[in-house]
Amino acid sequence: MSVRQSPAWQALERHYREAIEGAHLHQLFSADPDRFDRFSVSEQDYLLDFSKHRITEQSFQLLLRLAEQQQLRDWIDRLFEGAPVNSSEQRSALHTALRAPAERTPRLAGEAIAEAIHGNLARMGEMVAQIHSGHWRGYSGKAITDVVNLGVGGSDLGPFMACHALEEFRDPRARGLQVHFVSSIDGSQLAELLKRLNPETTLFVLSSKSFTTIDTLSNAETAKGWLAQKISDESILIGQHFIGCSARPEKMSEWGIPVSNQLQFWDWVGGRFSLWSVIGLPIALLIGMDGFRQLLAGAHAIDQHFREAPFERNLPVIMALLGVWTGNFIGVKGHSVLPYDGRLKFLPNYLTQLEMESNGKSVTRGGERVDYDTCPIIWGEVGPNAQHAYYQLLHQGTQPVSCDFIAPVRRYRAGTAAGTRAQLQSQQQLNLANCLAQSRVLMFGDQALPVEEREGRRSDQHYEGNQCSTTLLIKELTPATLGGLVALYEHKVFVQSVIWEINPFDQWGVELGKQIAKETHRAIAAGEGDFDDSSTRGLLAFIQRVQR
Amino acid sequence: MRVSVYGCGLIGLVTGVALADVGNDVVLVACEGEDIERLRAADISFEEPGLKERLQRELAAGRLRIAADRERGFEHGQVHMLAVTSDHYETGRELLVALATHRPDPITVVNQSTFSMGAALRLKEAMLAAREGEENLNDVYLLVLPSFLQEGAAIQGFTRPQRILLGADEEWGLQLVQELLRPFLRNQGRLLTMPTKAAEFTKYAINGMLATKLSFMNEMANLADQIGVDIEQVRKGVGSDPRIGYDYIYPGCGFGGLKFSEELLQLAATVEENVEESFLLRTVLDTNEQQKEVLFRKAWTHWQTRMRGKTVALLGASFKPNTDHIDNSPALVLMEALWAQGVTVRLYDPKALERVKAHYGPRDDLVLCDSLYQAAEGSDALMIATEWKEFWSPDFERLGELMKARLIFDGRNLYNPEFMKELGFTYFGVGRSTAFV
């Protein structure tokens, strides 16, 4: 039976038609003066305000009942205990173990994984120390000044997002170190970068869980060729200029990476959940191992909260249920993530992968096709910039859309250029004002204005309002709160997968394209192969004409 | 005149002795933790021709006394000379503040220590602030007498200077100090006076220029390595141009010492906040830090990165010969680079071993040796970091027999590459293009 036919779901559908469909958010607010107290949770350094959702106390209780019905508690326990929650691949998803203290790390199939986790973390720490001290040497004996992360997807988005967010927490020992990210298969990032870098002082981090990712390996080959112009001894070239991070040590060895340069993670860590593993090496290089451990600790604190807090006060559970409510009952197809903080510029990109690759599924764990929507389209941008881009559609378009407003509150307490702090702090106030104003207008529409200003407005100046949003305030962005923020979304994704009865930890949808690309590549490179569609044939013909 | 000199390093001792010699009544205050009894016995920890004898003479004559408590200095001097090392700014500041509170009358201070730019004004402000609330507010005179002493010729440099550079912001203090220095300006010497800030900046510019000459020549040496010419021939050619001269153009494995330290060559934050940093000097210092590892890099490429388990005999730890100081010494950077690759260092230095021991403490990969031959025993290579005289002409045959391999990395270009080749040594100098010998 589909969850859609289940009692809790059916009750929500009835409730929506009877109590919510015709109600406007401004009515809900005027009906309940305690709405904020009722629908906000303050936990650790975070405040989650979900009062701007089209819910009543009854909606909330019914959503909680849905979670109970789907046996969420059991699923959470199974997740943390290392049960094979990745059902299609019969694997655990133990990213939470990567950030747990050794004594809280579960055993996996009777095996203690704490040792492996902390062993690799320690080895990563040694490498970081060597690079920071200037004692990791390039082929000519000079210290490394530039580290280039070669990775794509989970081996890129997480570290890239975090490094951008945490620049102000740069370890003083990393003062002269530049960390770069190269992901695209077309080599465009690499081509530009290699013009500027010095091969003597450049170190590549080759990050790929499977170590077969063609995007990353082709970039690595280009990097190797660049170095080979200067150094002919391949063992020195790779030994001094490549570190490998992978779940496939034998593949790393095959590629030539010596064991001493290998960092490992495991099948039970999903790629998009891997920034907590050695895939986080670029983060540790930037903010130091202490900073990296704070990132882990912040995530672990949210793990504990997720495991222990009752659902009605459980941040990831609430975030997930709101997503289910807006998507499955209100009919929202697009969800926008809007950090009001330039440091979080790449958080939306990161969450795009985390949510859509996890929950962009249409069959249940049992293989049945679902008859309800799963993950919506997620997109986002730094909020104030998006205000000048697509907020028009949020305010006056035809789509119901939900939004997450995310804003760290305290900023610029230290580390600003001389004479700029006061001005920057007032910019931050302006920024926060915009954040609160936009969510208020989305909810109230015209109703945010006094009656006299509202009347007599033309229809193209009309704001309907009634768009739902969540606001997540964070006391201050630090390695720890960034870790917690990411963990919140990871668990939100997991909770939704439990409601939707899908497996969030596989990604079969990315396989076929890779496979077809291989034969298409033969067609482009060697003119081989025949395609049964005129579109591919026509495009290939054009490419071949131009290449000639 | 009654003069108090604070600091018993080279500058303080030379100043005290020279002033006492011309009849002044000098109290020399040991304020940097020196051993007072050894000083009273004229037992000094560094070599400076003639200094010991003169010190003995002045002590015996009673024109110079050595005091441990600074109050004796405070009460004694009409002029107070501050001559502490450049890393003792805080000591100096604290001492002058104490002086300002101790003496209610006008005070004349001459700062000979090399501090960062603007130090004179900051010190004066600190002294005035200490006197705040008392009657005579602006009666502290702080002059700057930058030191141009060259080790080995320091006494001559003080008593028969080519020129004396004196920074003063007020007439009163200037007259008094001019009188004090008059005996040294009787013949050809000239007195240049200028505001204290200008005097400090002159010293800054001189040190910056010397550092630039050295770093430039090191860069030329590294290029010479690649081009395949011998930098020694080039150095002689360059030095023969009188506009450049032979001083400070010896290529090598970097320079050290306090006067070329990062702190001293930093303008921003020491003078005024909005002063630009010198881009050129920043580059000079960065280049020099790289140069300190030049021997490491030569060994790294020679051994094709496989250095773990090797043993290197290192000759010289002090930043220059004839001193036990190791501040910013290239040898330290070199040792740390070697250790990080798993290399054991057998170190010999005629004077600086104690300081090295204090700096690093005991470690398995550092063996302190009593002679260069002992250092060479069982080593895979010999490295030279400081040009002590006794390293210039060792018994190479004996060295070769003691070493596991006949391999020399010479950071001071002491030896002749062709001769070394004849002796069967693989020899790397700095800019000696060994590959082409």
Side-chain angles (χ1 to χ4, degrees), chain B residues 136-380:
Chain B
N136 301 322
L137 268 186
N138 202 19
D139 54 0
V140 165
Y141 305 98
L142 213 153
L143 292 85
V144 172
L145 181 65
S147 164
F148 296 102
L149 296 190
Q150 285 183 355
E151 281 169 41
I155 295 177
Q156 182 86 354
F158 194 96
T159 56
R160 296 176 194 277
Q162 302 225 310
R163 76 286 184 232
I164 291 179
L165 189 68
L166 187 59
D169 298 322
E170 292 100 354
E171 266 308 301
W172 201 92
L174 180 61
Q175 280 177 359
L176 192 65
V177 176
Q178 262 176 329
E179 272 313 300
L180 186 66
L181 297 175
R182 194 175 43 82
F184 310 113
L185 290 163
R186 294 180 63 205
N187 297 324
Q188 77 276 37
R190 285 192 304 132
L191 178 70
L192 289 171
T193 57
M194 57 182 76
T196 54
K197 228 173 166 177
E200 286 176 335
F201 193 58
T202 306
K203 180 71 180 167
Y204 169 89
I206 288 171
N207 283 344
M209 184 62 166
L210 296 180
T212 305
K213 274 181 97 173
L214 281 168
S215 253
F216 175 78
M217 216 46 201
N218 284 335
E219 180 145 311
M220 291 301 107
N222 293 342
L223 292 175
D225 262 339
Q226 297 169 41
I227 293 167
V229 295
D230 184 353
I231 196 68
E232 275 305 291
Q233 293 169 347
V234 177
R235 179 184 64 79
K236 287 174 192 153
V238 169
S240 72
D241 185 330
R243 292 170 302 178
I244 298 171
Y246 288 104
D247 293 332
Y248 284 86
I249 59 166
Y250 287 89
C253 57
F255 52 81
L258 285 172
K259 73 174 172 182
F260 292 136
S261 67
E262 174 102 357
E263 299 74 44
L264 282 191
L265 292 177
Q266 214 173 26
L267 280 181
T270 61
V271 194
E272 280 162 48
E273 277 205 348
N274 52 4
V275 170
E276 280 176 39
E277 224 193 320
S278 161
F279 176 77
L280 182 59
L281 282 184
R282 158 66 33 213
T283 310
V284 163
L285 289 183
D286 288 348
T287 307
N288 186 50
E289 284 309 303
Q290 293 256 324
Q291 193 68 11
K292 289 177 180 176
E293 292 188 340
V294 68
L295 295 189
F296 169 81
R297 285 196 296 275
K298 284 172 189 284
W300 173 264
T301 41
H302 177 74
W303 281 325
Q304 298 183 301
T305 78
R306 287 179 280 276
M307 298 177 80
R308 188 157 300 281
K310 301 263 189 217
T311 299
V312 164
L314 179 60
L315 303 187
S318 57
F319 77 90
K320 62 180 181 184
N322 306 319
T323 176
D324 63 345
H325 286 271
I326 57 170
D327 315 275
N328 295 326
S329 174
L332 306 186
V333 177
L334 178 58
M335 281 193 283
E336 285 165 24
L338 291 168
W339 289 333
Q341 302 301 331
V343 174
T344 299
V345 175
R346 295 175 64 83
L347 175 68
Y348 170 64
D349 186 285
K351 286 206 161 156
L353 291 183
E354 278 306 311
R355 296 237 187 202
V356 172
K357 200 164 141 189
H359 187 71
Y360 289 114
R363 28 186 314 158
D364 292 342
D365 49 9
L366 173 62
V367 184
L368 302 174
C369 301
D370 295 329
S371 73
L372 69 94
Y373 299 104
Q374 193 194 342
E377 266 172 45
S379 64
D380 296 284

Side-chain angles (χ1 to χ4, degrees), chain A residues 480-537:
Chain A
T481 56
L482 181 70
L485 178 63
V486 172
L488 284 176
Y489 277 94
E490 285 180 347
H491 295 320
K492 168 201 168 181
V493 162
F494 177 69
V495 173
Q496 290 187 326
S497 77
V498 171
I499 305 290
W500 289 325
E501 301 181 349
I502 56 181
N503 176 6
F505 298 117
D506 61 10
Q507 54 280 322
W508 296 105
V510 303
E511 294 303 324
L512 186 56
K514 291 188 208 169
Q515 187 188 325
I516 299 298
K518 281 185 195 156
E519 45 184 294
T520 318
H521 180 237
R522 281 195 293 277
I524 291 174
E528 291 168 11
D530 193 21
F531 291 86
D532 58 4
D533 74 288
S534 60
S535 171
T536 305
R537 281 201 303 270

